[in-house]
Amino acid sequence: MIPFLDLKKINKPYETAFQEKLKSVLDNGWYILGKEVETFEKAFAAYCKTDYCIGVGNGFDALVLIFKGYITLGTLQKGDEVIVPANTYIASVLAIIEAGLVPILVEPKLETYNLNPDLIQEKITPKTKAILAVHLYGQLAEMDQINEIADQNNLLVVEDAAQSHGAFENTNRVKIPNSKNVTWNEGKKFSGAIAYSFYPGKNLGCLGDGGAIVTNDSALAKVLFSLRNYGSEKKYYNEYIGVNSRLDELQASFLHLKLPDLDADNDKRRSIAKRYVTEIKNDKIVLPIWDFSNNHVFHLFVIRTPDREDLQEYLTQNTIQTVIHYPIPVHKQKAFSEWNDLSFPITERIHKEVLSLPMSPVLTASEVDCIIAVLNSY
Ligand SMILES: *Cc1c(COP(=O)(O)O)cnc(C)c1O
């Protein structure tokens, strides 16, 4: 069997280093918000070229805390509407709701699976105050267009980068402003805050739950450092109504060990994607459109096919494990029964047709050979 994702193989090379870190954290006797978290936050902020990184419990909390941070600052109010792609992973939508805001679903482009900027304007009402851009499957959303619409309508932009660690925009990393929608000195506009997840299967994953927020907004960062820790900066003195969502010392130390390999891992993902894109030749399969730039880090390699169940069954019989991201759109989930009758044809088609092929930095050339050969004879 060629596994969809072999996490054991991904983490094996770090075994000795992980054990040394465990010993050092044990010897230190300090497990929450200590020097490991601080060191990783500095390293990840430097990697993202941002001023601040706030380590939190997971990617969902990173999103929730960004919105709660803006509410605490008075930039957003409970009940404000947030534009979000209809085909995103449900966490993006749940985070908006958890923060007391209202998600407004907008269709993606069928070709890129990312938010269609042309469809945002018609969904904007006087209550719309933010756009949550999601870089789905590892490909950057069309941020220039999104930021321009946001600027014209005075909206905040927040990014869900849970699947896109290390994605570059034209070889420039995603950069972000000092306050909402401030113009960067290259004349480009950037978002206010970006949420990351370090769930084990992400491009940068720890051995449990973990997440982070990066931003250049010093006021937001100050509130977030406090909100993640019960709204308190000084122990037992609470300034804000906060939560408990902290990256722990052990996970931070593991992430710090893995961070230097992220770019090389993403390069490996891209070279596998390049082989898939150029060597898979089958009229029944729609491959992702990708211009070979670094704006895609292939968290997932997602194809489309009219009879998805048949292809998945065929691949399973040929020892290739695949996964569907995702089988049911958010608006068709039982949890959102009030949305079940809404119609998002592009989103529904995507959820019916997509299939994710094995993709990871530890996939071997002969496994890729096999996957391509099996797909070409389907
Ligand atoms: C994984 C993911 C999240 C949530 O991250 P967790 O760490 O699992 O909470 C949010 N958004 C997207 C797009 C994701 O893929």
Side-chain angles (χ1 to χ4, degrees):
M1 199 72 188
I2 299 175
F4 174 72
L5 178 63
D6 191 343
L7 284 177
K8 242 162 100 171
K9 197 170 170 187
I10 284 177
N11 285 313
K12 189 76 185 163
Y14 302 97
E15 186 171 347
T16 310
F18 283 162
Q19 280 165 346
E20 281 163 11
K21 279 291 182 192
L22 170 63
K23 185 172 182 334
S24 138
V25 171
L26 263 177
D27 289 350
N28 228 336
W30 192 274
Y31 313 123
I32 298 284
L33 297 186
K35 73 173 182 20
E36 295 290 348
V37 168
E38 220 179 293
T39 306
F40 173 70
E41 285 174 340
K42 286 217 173 79
F44 197 64
Y47 178 81
C48 296
K49 298 188 177 168
T50 58
D51 292 343
Y52 305 97
C53 168
I54 301 98
V56 297
N58 53 65
F60 172 76
D61 284 355
L63 288 165
V64 175
L65 285 167
I66 291 171
F67 291 122
K68 285 195 171 176
Y70 281 127
I71 291 171
T72 304
L73 288 170
T75 316
L76 291 177
Q77 315 283 331
K78 289 208 169 172
D80 284 349
E81 292 174 358
V82 181
I83 300 279
V84 61
N87 64 319
T88 186
Y89 177 54
I90 199 164
S92 324
V93 178
L94 289 173
I96 294 169
I97 294 170
E98 180 66 22
L101 304 169
V102 179
I104 301 296
L105 305 178
V106 173
E107 288 263 59
K109 285 188 179 173
L110 181 63
E111 298 75 25
T112 61
Y113 311 109
N114 272 330
L115 192 57
N116 186 342
D118 297 337
L119 302 179
I120 295 175
Q121 193 70 46
E122 64 199 55
K123 295 286 187 116
I124 294 175
T125 75
K127 297 190 84 176
T128 311
K129 293 292 185 286
I131 300 173
L132 176 56
V134 183
H135 309 304
L136 203 67
Y137 306 150
Q139 183 169 36
L140 291 181
E142 293 174 52
M143 294 312 293
D144 284 349
Q145 290 89 324
I146 290 170
N147 281 314
E148 197 166 318
I149 294 161
D151 200 39
Q152 283 161 3
N153 295 278
N154 199 27
L155 309 178
L156 277 169
V157 177
V158 174
E159 291 174 57
D160 181 342
Q163 302 190 357
S164 62
H165 317 64
F168 295 77
E169 217 175 27
N170 306 322
T171 74
N172 284 321
R173 257 174 239 271
V174 177
K175 297 185 184 109
I176 44 185
N178 289 314
S179 65
K180 65 182 248 180
N181 304 324
V182 163
T183 306
W184 187 262
N185 56 14
E186 295 154 29
K188 282 185 152 193
K189 298 182 180 65
F190 301 92
S191 33
I194 306 182
Y196 286 93
S197 162
F198 305 122
Y199 180 81
K202 308 288 185 181
N203 288 31
L204 178 61
C206 53
L207 305 186
D209 275 314
I213 299 158
V214 296
T215 183
N216 284 354
D217 183 333
S218 58
L220 180 67
K222 189 174 183 302
V223 166
L224 290 173
F225 279 120
S226 170
L227 282 184
R228 71 165 175 193
N229 188 31
Y230 296 117
S232 143
E233 230 173 321
K234 186 176 161 199
K235 208 168 188 181
Y236 307 130
Y237 291 80
N238 301 70
E239 264 186 275
Y240 309 110
I241 297 175
V243 300
N244 175 0
S245 183
R246 303 170 297 217
L247 183 64
D248 67 69
E249 286 287 284
L250 205 52
Q251 299 304 339
S253 76
F254 295 161
L255 288 165
H256 194 218
L257 281 172
K258 292 178 78 174
L259 180 59
D261 299 328
L262 177 57
D263 284 343
D265 282 351
N266 283 340
D267 281 341
K268 286 179 197 160
R269 289 173 182 270
R270 278 191 284 258
S271 55
I272 293 164
K274 200 163 188 169
R275 287 203 56 198
Y276 281 157
V277 166
T278 51
E279 296 175 45
I280 297 172
K281 291 189 165 58
N282 186 323
D283 291 345
K284 295 193 228 41
I285 293 167
V286 181
L287 296 163
I289 295 173
W290 172 44
D291 56 10
F292 299 131
S293 69
N294 289 346
N295 69 350
H296 204 324
V297 291
F298 288 96
H299 172 59
L300 298 169
F301 190 93
V302 177
I303 60 171
R304 254 183 316 119
T305 190
D307 195 349
R308 189 246 325 269
E309 271 61 37
D310 184 68
L311 177 60
Q312 186 170 39
E313 175 61 29
Y314 165 81
L315 289 170
T316 308
Q317 273 166 11
N318 285 280
T319 74
I320 297 161
Q321 192 187 23
T322 55
V323 178
I324 297 164
H325 298 91
Y326 301 91
I328 303 172
V330 173
H331 71 283
K332 293 287 183 192
Q333 295 284 356
K334 265 193 194 158
F336 292 117
S337 54
E338 72 276 22
W339 293 346
N340 287 176
D341 292 333
L342 295 180
S343 169
F344 293 95
I346 308 266
T347 297
E348 286 156 34
R349 178 162 173 202
I350 288 170
H351 286 75
K352 234 178 82 193
E353 296 185 349
V354 287
L355 189 65
S356 306
L357 301 183
M359 170 55 81
S360 83
V362 296
L363 204 60
T364 66
S366 61
E367 287 172 326
V368 177
D369 290 342
C370 168
I371 293 163
I372 291 166
V374 167
L375 282 168
N376 286 346
S377 47
Y378 171 60

